[in-house]
Amino acid sequence: MSILAAILVASTSLNITVWPNGMGPQAPKKTYTLRCAPVGGTLPKRAAACTKLMRIERPFAPTPAGTACTMIYGGPQVALVTGSFRGKQIRAMFGRKDGCQLARWNRVGFLFPGASVSARSR
């Protein structure tokens, strides 16, 4: 690993909140943390999550404006990821209400344990 790559990995510290049944005033939620280099936090399989995140070019990028999305509903699950990734502050919401949101969710679904999604292991 290059020095730059090591610095970028080290500058990752995330707070992850998952609403497995959707958001609402009484909706149960699960919260996790993830730190990379050194690996830490409460997310299960932290080391694997850090490795997977570093392999994804823009894991928290929103769907580009004007993108046509299929009307495929994947479920009520919602997740919020905040913190620092590769040295930049992020705040990203994830859902499963259409094809674009499903693609974003599936890309980083390993960050959302406990949300019943068959593709979360990608």
Side-chain angles (χ1 to χ4, degrees):
M1 181 181 290
S2 72
I3 293 173
L4 178 58
I7 291 169
L8 291 176
V9 169
S11 62
T12 296
S13 179
L14 303 175
N15 297 303
I16 303 158
T17 305
V18 180
W19 290 269
N21 302 314
M23 294 177 85
Q26 302 295 325
K29 64 183 177 181
K30 298 178 181 190
T31 57
Y32 306 95
T33 57
L34 176 64
R35 289 182 313 281
C36 300
V39 173
T42 61
L43 186 75
K45 302 180 183 178
R46 294 172 289 281
C50 287
T51 300
K52 287 179 183 180
L53 271 178
M54 292 310 131
R55 291 180 179 158
I56 302 172
E57 187 174 336
R58 297 179 60 214
F60 304 110
T63 300
T67 301
C69 301
T70 59
M71 297 304 297
I72 300 171
Y73 180 73
Q77 299 87 355
V78 178
L80 171 65
V81 180
T82 61
S84 175
F85 179 70
R86 295 181 180 153
K88 295 184 180 179
Q89 291 299 306
I90 59 138
R91 178 180 176 82
M93 288 293 297
F94 292 85
R96 299 180 42 76
K97 296 195 178 210
D98 64 39
C100 292
Q101 290 184 45
L102 284 168
R104 287 183 71 236
W105 181 287
N106 289 343
R107 188 169 51 237
V108 295
F110 56 89
L111 295 175
F112 313 140
S116 303
V117 180
S118 61
R120 76 172 172 233
S121 61
R122 289 185 185 174

